[in-house]
Structure formats: structure tokens, C-alpha cells
């Protein structure tokens, strides 16, 4: 009898242990541990300037650094909203006992979408609207985009995430924002730090429209090349100055979302971003819009690739005039083809590093007196 009890007890223990192993393995599964789903909630409309003239060619070097910004229009709203429905662990260290079933939390809590709350609701009749909002837990620096990273596949068939690089830029960025808000959809913008210091009012406008804002280095350097490849401190500075500059331009929280210029992603810097809890975004689908001059070709490029892939994180550039011009029609075609837009928000905003905030403040010493808005300094007193 005693022997029987021992046998039964042993079997029970082994069973529990086996269950534990299975549970632990499942908790290790990628994807849903990093991404939580929030209620779909559209955006409030935002008045933005219409598309107008073209900017000739992607300017690599930009205008004379003019830190004195024009008066920012609307009050900045947090780009990185808080408290959606959550769930998530680190991608690198599977320390979370996330039970497999709890991995992906979908919810439609009334009014709980912080992203939406910052801008109110969007109830334009016939507008595309957001299919859902997903929250990304950036702890450990998860990386997304099937072109390089295959682990996290959070989009369903016919879902797209729209991402825009290299802004903020006059005319083009406001035109993209207008097209998105006209359809009640949201996107993620990876801004270049220097551009954000030149056009902070546009960064603020992007944030006020409820878009998610990440960063794209300080000055768009290929970090896989020298001097950055051989000097990690310089590479870190290029990344961190970008984070600090975009953060300063928005003057509010931004997302710990990062995209490497030219999608050149040195492993050592991915590790660094992991320590910083900043997520990396490659792409599922590159529009190559920077090589395209005509809006209809941008549309064709995106639609053809999406129809082939069925879904994806789409890489475009709000810096590009053709893309800005293409957006209204592209959104119409996406909708007609049954595609739905998913918006990504971070679980928590990025933290900047004081050393680089300070570097940002001192990098433009020549303009130290130019802190007042232009319209307070210069006014027309005769003529038109
Ligand atoms: Zn870029």
C-alpha cells in the first residue's frame, strides 16, 4: 500500500513537472508576448496644410539650422499613450511566466485606448478607421519586420501597419497627416533628429494628431559603416542624439521605437538597443518610394507588394513628395482591396539620456539667441 502511494505520488509529481516544462516552453513563444492589442479607436481630425509644391529631391543636407521654430500650432498631445490593454514580456529574456493562452489580449474597452484618448474619436462617415491598436512592450528591445526578423508575426491577413521615415518635413509631412486623419487612421513616424530640430512644430503636429513617433538617428548615417562600425560610442551618439532631438521637438513622450537608416542593423547596436529597451523596426514590405517620382507608382509599388504578401508593415517616407501626394488615393485603394490599418503604440515612452540631451542643447551654440518664434522677431510693417 505504501509502495502504491509512493508510486502515485511520484507519477503526480512527474506529471506536474512535465506540465511545467510545457508551460515554460510555451511562455517562450514569440509574438504575442510582446504585442498586446487595444481597442480600435479612431483619431480626431486635424487641420493640416494641403499638399502643395514639390520638394525636388530628398535633401540630404538641409536648411541652415534654424532652431527658432514657428509657433507650434496645437497643443502637443502625447505620442506615446499610456495604459492600454496589456500583456507582454521581454523578447530576449523569457522570464515572464506568460501563460500561452494569455499571450494576446484583445479588448474593446470603451474609452480605454490612451492613444485614442489624446485626440478624441473620429467618426467621419465612410472613413477607413483603424482595425485595431496594438501595444508593443519594448522591454529587451524586440525587433520587427520580416525582411530581417522572423519571430514576431502579429498582423492578421489583410492587416497593414503604415510607417513613415525621414520627416518631419514641410508640406509633405502635413500632407501625409491630413490624408491619414481624413480616413481616421494612424501611423508610426520615424523622425530624423536633425529634421526634428529644424521643424519642431511639425513634430508636434504629428504627435497632436495621435500618431506614434519613434526615431531614426540624428543625421541618417549608415551605422554599419565607419566611423560608426568601428566606434560604438559614435554610433550610440548618432542613435541617442536622434532620440533626444525628436523627444525635445515633440516636447512630450515619444515611443521607444527605432529604425536604422538604410535598414543597416549591426548586431552590436541591436544589443545596445536591447539594453535601452528600444524596439527596432525593419519592414515587411519596402515601398522604395524614395526612388519613385510619381505618386501613382508609389501606389502601385505598395499595392502590388501587399497583394502578394497579404499583409505587412509598410515602409514609406513622409519626406517624399510623391508619397505625400499618393496617400489619399493609396488609402482609398487599400480600403477597396479590403486592407485594414493597425496602429502600434508603445507600452511606455522612451527615456532619454541626460548626456545626449545636453549634447543636443550645446550642439548649436551659434543659434543660442534665437529662441523666440519667428513671428515674434520679424513682422511686416509695409508692403504685403
Ligand atoms: Zn531613412
Amino acid at each position: 500500500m505504501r509502495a502504491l502511494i509512493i508510486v502515485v505520488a511520484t507519477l503526480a509529481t512527474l506529471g506536474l513537472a512535465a506540465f511545467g516544462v510545457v508551460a515554460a516552453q510555451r511562455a517562450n513563444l514569440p509574438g504575442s508576448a510582446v504585442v498586446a492589442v487595444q481597442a480600435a479607436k479612431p483619431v480626431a481630425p486635424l487641420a493640416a496644410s494641403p499638399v502643395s509644391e514639390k520638394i525636388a529631391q530628398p535633401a540630404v543636407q538641409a536648411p541652415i539650422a534654424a532652431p527658432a521654430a514657428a509657433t507650434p500650432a496645437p497643443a502637443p498631445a502625447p505620442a506615446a499613450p499610456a495604459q492600454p490593454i496589456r500583456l507582454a514580456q521581454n523578447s530576449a529574456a523569457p522570464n515572464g511566466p506568460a501563460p500561452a493562452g494569455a499571450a494576446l489580449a484583445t479588448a474593446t474597452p470603451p474609452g480605454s485606448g490612451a492613444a485614442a484618448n489624446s485626440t478624441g474619436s473620429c467618426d467621419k462617415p465612410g472613413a477607413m478607421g483603424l482595425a485595431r491598436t496594438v501595444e508593443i512592450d519594448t522591454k529587451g528591445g524586440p525587433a520587427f519586420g520580416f525582411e530581417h526578423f522572423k519571430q514576431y508575426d502579429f498582423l492578421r491577413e489583410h492587416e497593414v501597419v503604415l510607417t513613415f521615415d525621414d520627416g518631419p518635413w514641410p508640406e509633405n509631412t502635413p500632407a501625409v497627416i491630413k490624408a491619414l486623419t481624413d480616413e481616421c487612421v494612424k501611423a508610426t513616424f520615424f523622425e530624423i533628429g536633425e529634421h526634428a530640430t529644424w521643424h519642431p512644430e511639425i513634430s508636434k503636429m504629428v504627435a497632436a494628431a495621435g500618431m506614434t513617433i519613434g526615431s531614426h538617428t540624428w543625421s541618417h548615417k549608415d551605422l554599419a559603416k565607419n566611423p560608426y562600425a568601428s566606434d560604438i560610442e559614435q554610433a550610440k551618439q548618432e542613435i541617442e542624439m536622434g532620440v533626444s532631438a525628436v523627444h525635445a521637438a515633440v516636447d512630450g513622450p515619444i515611443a521607444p521605437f527605432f529604425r536604422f537608416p538604410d535598414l543597416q542593423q549591426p548586431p552590436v547596436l541591436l544589443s545596445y538597443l536591447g539594453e535601452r529597451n528600444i524596439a527596432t523596426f525593419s519592414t515587411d514590405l519596402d515601398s522604395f518610394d524614395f526612388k519613385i517620382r510619381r505618386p501613382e507608382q508609389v501606389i502601385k509599388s505598395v499595392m502590388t507588394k501587399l497583394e502578394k504578401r497579404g499583409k505587412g508593415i509598410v515602409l514609406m517616407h513622409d519626406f517624399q513628395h510623391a508619397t505625400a501626394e499618393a496617400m489619399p488615393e493609396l488609402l482609398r485603394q487599400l480600403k477597396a482591396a479590403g486592407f485594414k490599418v493597425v496602429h502600434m503604440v508603445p507600452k511606455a515612452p522612451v527615456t532619454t539620456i541626460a548626456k545626449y540631451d545636453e549634447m543636443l542643447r550645446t550642439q548649436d551654440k551659434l543659434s543660442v539667441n534665437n529662441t523666440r518664434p519667428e513671428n515674434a522677431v520679424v513682422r511686416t510693417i509695409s508692403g504685403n
Side-chain angles (χ1 to χ4, degrees), residues 101-194:
L104 193 66
T106 309
T108 45
S112 84
N117 286 349
S118 62
T119 49
S121 64
C122 182
D123 52 3
K124 295 177 184 172
M128 195 174 182
L130 283 175
R132 41 182 197 130
T133 299
V134 296
E135 180 191 84
I136 311 287
D137 184 349
T138 65
K139 187 181 171 192
F144 301 84
F146 260 54
E147 203 167 292
H148 300 92
F149 309 101
K150 315 285 188 201
Q151 291 80 10
Y152 301 127
D153 184 15
F154 64 89
L155 291 177
R156 302 167 189 156
E157 271 309 292
H158 275 77
E159 284 187 340
V160 295
V161 166
L162 303 175
T163 68
F164 296 91
D165 292 4
D166 298 1
W169 206 253
E171 311 289 350
N172 299 336
T173 304
V176 170
I177 297 294
K178 180 174 187 328
L180 295 171
T181 53
D182 280 352
E183 287 295 335
C184 295
V185 293
K186 294 183 190 178
T188 298
F189 290 75
F190 294 95
E191 295 190 348
I192 295 174
E194 262 189 319

